[in-house]
Amino acid sequence: MTPFTYAKPESVAQAVRSGAGHQSDAKSSALDFFAGGTDMVQLMQERVRNPEHVVDITGLPQLDRIEVGEQSTRLGALVRMSDAASHPHIVEVFPVVAEALLASASPQVRNLATLGGNLLQRTRCGYFRDVVTPCNKRIPGSGCPAIDGQNRGLAILGTSQRCIATYAGDFANALMVLDASVLIAGSAGLRTVALADLHRQPGDTPHLETHLQPGELIVAIELPHLAVGLRSHYLKVRDRTSFAFALASVAVGLDMASDGTVRDARIAVGGVATTPWRLPRVEQALRGHKLDAELCRAASALASADAVPHGQNAFKVTLLERVVARGLEETGGLA
Amino acid sequence: MVAPESSYGEESVPPTSGAAPAVEPHTIRSVDVDLTINGAQHRLASLDVNATLLDCLRDALHLTGTKKGCGLGQCGACTVLVDGRRVNACLCLAVMQQGKQITTIEGIGIEGDLHVLQSAFIRHDAFQCGYCTSGQIMSGLACIHEGHTRSDDEVREWMSGNLCRCGAYTNIVAAVREAAQGSVAK
């Protein structure tokens, strides 16, 4: 690990003033926030990120709390994944969140990793993580060997000519179907951004992964209680049963009438897209219809309408449709 | 949307202009670190702030029972308990562990007076080369404490952060479940 300096601010204001960054190219990573460290240490050990300064934010007050309010639940950015996954209110009201968290990483990693950091975890693309290869995300303009290379795990949705790296997280996909937002502290104060607007598609600037500005810090995640009563569920398909990143995953939220008619549907998928990814066409195909196996199949066939496969990852087109169908059936009590 | 009442420093975030300098001083590369390991205090003088807890345990304190496998949080060989919770020591900066209770394999039993889980590993032949074993046992302790031992499948899921390349999984699961049931006296 490259030597760095260390500071531990005691307030959000101090942390924000440090100006620590989030973007991915090596040049702009002089100063990094550090919390759970589960991805940061991997990136530093493999020289993908080489910060000159590390700002330890684990001493910031109040950010390790889960607060259940009248109209929303607020998850502090420093809440550990394991604590959120076992919180009785989360388990009962937002099962898709608890299930997505428990489907992530290992018990040891979940005890360290924070919710805020989880949202900002970096892609597992092997070229991004291997500093001897070109990568537009790591070194802008250097090229993307993945597009014609080892891309079995990479994305089929939201890709560009510059980058097809998969967004690796599970938690963010669950948040997508709950209309969650993130509370961000910056030098001008606090702002709220919909989770759906936090991440950026790669386009021509794959090194810019979020809309966070230098110094900005996610301080909390807000779950509106509008989603209470939603049947929700997370299904993740991997190469092995546990402790692996998704080949394809689906977060499902269904609002169903007692006769099985879908009043509202929210679907987000992981392991197949460059950002957390909603499937509005699938949702639209479900609304107003009675959920049965045929509807699940027909709607899920629309999941891959925009898919662009790149050789090794072509199997994900069919896998995505089947995972969405299975996720719908399980959520709706059909499987 | 009305958020729950709380303060996230809303009042204390100042405007950009006239802001105080960044976190002061931002020049610390090494620092004296006090760690509590297996109940004993250790002072590490002038420790590099980029030292992991794992390297600190092994190289500075010579507590070599904790093993270094991948160094990337993927194998679990370095599992220790911090304030009773299992973590990968390779992913922790030592400087961030001050004021916490760290427990390593050296802290749970000694030759002739093994922990019940250590005895169960021996009885069930739950290892071949032994490299992953201290991590398996520390993780197994936490798994039992967390209550994730009601079935073989549950143990497999909750022990999935510990790889065994010899493939002793069947016997590891048996040892963890036996120790959890407390059916064998220490």
Side-chain angles (χ1 to χ4, degrees):
Chain A
M1 219 183 301
T2 307
F4 49 75
T5 71
Y6 172 84
K8 188 175 184 180
E10 293 175 351
S11 71
V12 169
Q14 276 184 341
V16 165
R17 275 203 299 271
S18 74
H22 304 273
Q23 305 305 347
S24 74
D25 59 306
K27 287 177 199 161
S28 68
S29 66
L31 208 151
D32 277 341
F33 288 127
F34 189 106
T38 54
D39 196 16
M40 279 296 296
V41 170
Q42 291 184 61
L43 294 165
M44 294 194 293
Q45 292 285 25
E46 301 200 297
R47 307 293 194 272
V48 177
R49 282 185 89 84
N50 303 288
E52 293 168 27
H53 311 288
V54 164
V55 180
D56 171 6
I57 57 170
T58 59
L60 301 183
Q62 298 188 19
L63 302 192
D64 61 350
R65 299 181 188 172
I66 295 176
E67 295 171 285
V68 181
E70 289 274 311
Q71 297 179 44
S72 68
T73 295
R74 191 178 264 194
L75 309 172
L78 293 177
V79 171
R80 309 287 167 161
M81 291 171 76
S82 52
D83 292 329
S86 62
H87 191 280
H89 177 73
I90 304 298
V91 172
E92 184 189 336
V93 180
F94 305 113
V96 67
V97 169
E99 291 171 15
L101 288 168
L102 287 182
S104 305
S106 69
Q108 291 97 314
V109 170
R110 295 195 294 266
N111 278 340
L112 289 169
T114 63
L115 298 182
N118 181 273
L119 297 179
L120 301 177
Q121 69 182 289
R122 314 306 303 281
T123 182
R124 307 307 300 192
C125 176
Y127 298 102
F128 173 73
R129 300 243 167 196
D130 180 358
V131 295
V132 304
T133 65
C135 169
N136 286 328
K137 192 180 275 300
R138 186 162 32 74
I139 306 169
S142 61
C144 176
I147 288 173
D148 295 314
Q150 302 296 317
N151 56 35
R152 179 174 176 273
L154 301 186
I156 55 174
L157 293 168
T159 59
S160 75
Q161 302 291 325
R162 305 282 175 95
C163 183
I164 60 170
T166 310
Y167 176 74
D170 295 297
F171 176 51
N173 310 323
L175 296 180
M176 289 285 275
V177 303
L178 300 175
D179 291 341
S181 55
V182 288
L183 192 61
I184 297 167
S187 57
L190 290 169
R191 67 185 179 109
T192 300
V193 171
L195 195 278
D197 296 328
L198 177 65
H199 296 90
R200 302 164 67 127
Q201 290 182 41
D204 290 332
T205 54
H207 62 291
L208 303 175
E209 296 186 347
T210 72
H211 289 284
L212 291 170
Q213 299 302 311
E216 284 196 320
L217 185 67
I218 295 176
V219 291
I221 295 145
E222 197 95 27
L223 299 174
H225 287 178
L226 301 171
V228 170
L230 207 67
R231 289 193 197 200
S232 73
H233 175 51
Y234 196 75
L235 173 67
K236 180 175 178 180
V237 173
R238 298 170 262 193
D239 276 329
R240 60 185 178 207
T241 310
S242 185
F243 198 13
F245 291 93
L247 291 172
S249 63
V250 64
V252 181
L254 290 179
D255 178 9
M256 290 170 69
S258 54
D259 70 348
T261 301
V262 177
R263 283 193 291 249
D264 193 17
R266 299 112 178 271
I267 320 279
V269 288
V272 290
T274 53
T275 65
W277 196 267
R278 281 279 286 267
L279 293 173
R281 266 185 275 200
V282 177
E283 296 170 1
Q284 188 56 41
L286 292 166
R287 286 188 193 110
H289 300 283
K290 196 165 179 174
L291 194 77
D292 57 23
E294 184 48 43
L295 180 66
C296 292
R297 264 195 301 277
S300 62
L302 303 171
S304 58
D306 299 323
V308 180
H310 290 86
Q312 291 179 351
N313 69 4
F315 73 100
K316 286 191 174 185
V317 175
T318 305
L319 183 66
L320 168 62
E321 295 172 10
R322 290 178 180 172
V323 167
V324 170
R326 182 77 187 179
L328 285 168
E329 289 176 355
E330 289 182 359
T331 310
L334 303 174
Chain B
M1 179 192 314
V2 177
E5 281 300 313
S6 69
S7 166
Y8 284 85
E10 286 97 324
E11 303 307 316
S12 57
V13 179
T16 319
S17 59
V23 185
E24 287 279 357
H26 210 119
T27 53
I28 297 168
R29 287 187 186 278
S30 62
V31 64
D32 294 346
V33 170
D34 293 304
L35 296 179
T36 306
I37 301 164
N38 303 325
Q41 298 285 331
H42 298 268
R43 165 152 288 207
L44 296 144
S46 195
L47 185 77
D48 288 345
V49 295
N50 70 346
T52 64
L53 175 60
L54 173 61
D55 287 345
C56 183
L57 288 171
R58 291 183 54 83
D59 300 339
L61 297 168
H62 308 297
L63 291 166
T64 53
T66 304
K67 301 303 181 192
K68 188 170 191 172
C70 66
L72 297 170
Q74 296 165 5
C75 76
C78 66
T79 302
V80 299
L81 307 183
V82 175
D83 289 339
R85 295 156 62 105
R86 48 179 158 163
V87 301
N88 307 94
C90 71
L91 296 178
C92 299
L93 297 182
V95 68
M96 291 172 66
Q97 309 311 312
Q98 300 187 90
K100 299 176 181 176
Q101 297 288 331
I102 298 159
T103 308
T104 69
I105 190 74
E106 289 90 347
I108 67 163
I110 55 170
E111 200 170 340
D113 187 20
L114 296 180
H115 187 280
V116 61
L117 185 56
Q118 291 174 306
S119 301
F121 264 64
I122 292 170
R123 203 162 32 253
H124 284 275
D125 200 16
F127 49 86
Q128 288 184 45
C129 82
Y131 197 82
C132 72
T133 308
S134 53
Q136 298 278 2
I137 289 173
M138 297 311 291
S139 193
L141 280 176
C143 184
I144 292 167
H145 180 71
E146 295 160 7
H148 296 303
T149 58
R150 287 165 295 191
S151 68
D152 286 1
D153 279 350
E154 188 179 19
V155 172
R156 284 191 198 98
E157 168 61 29
W158 286 87
M159 291 293 289
S160 65
N162 293 80
L163 304 187
C164 170
R165 294 300 77 175
C166 302
Y169 294 112
T170 305
N171 297 355
I172 292 169
V173 170
V176 170
R177 289 204 71 193
E178 179 187 281
Q181 287 157 7
S183 57
V184 176
K186 185 174 176 179

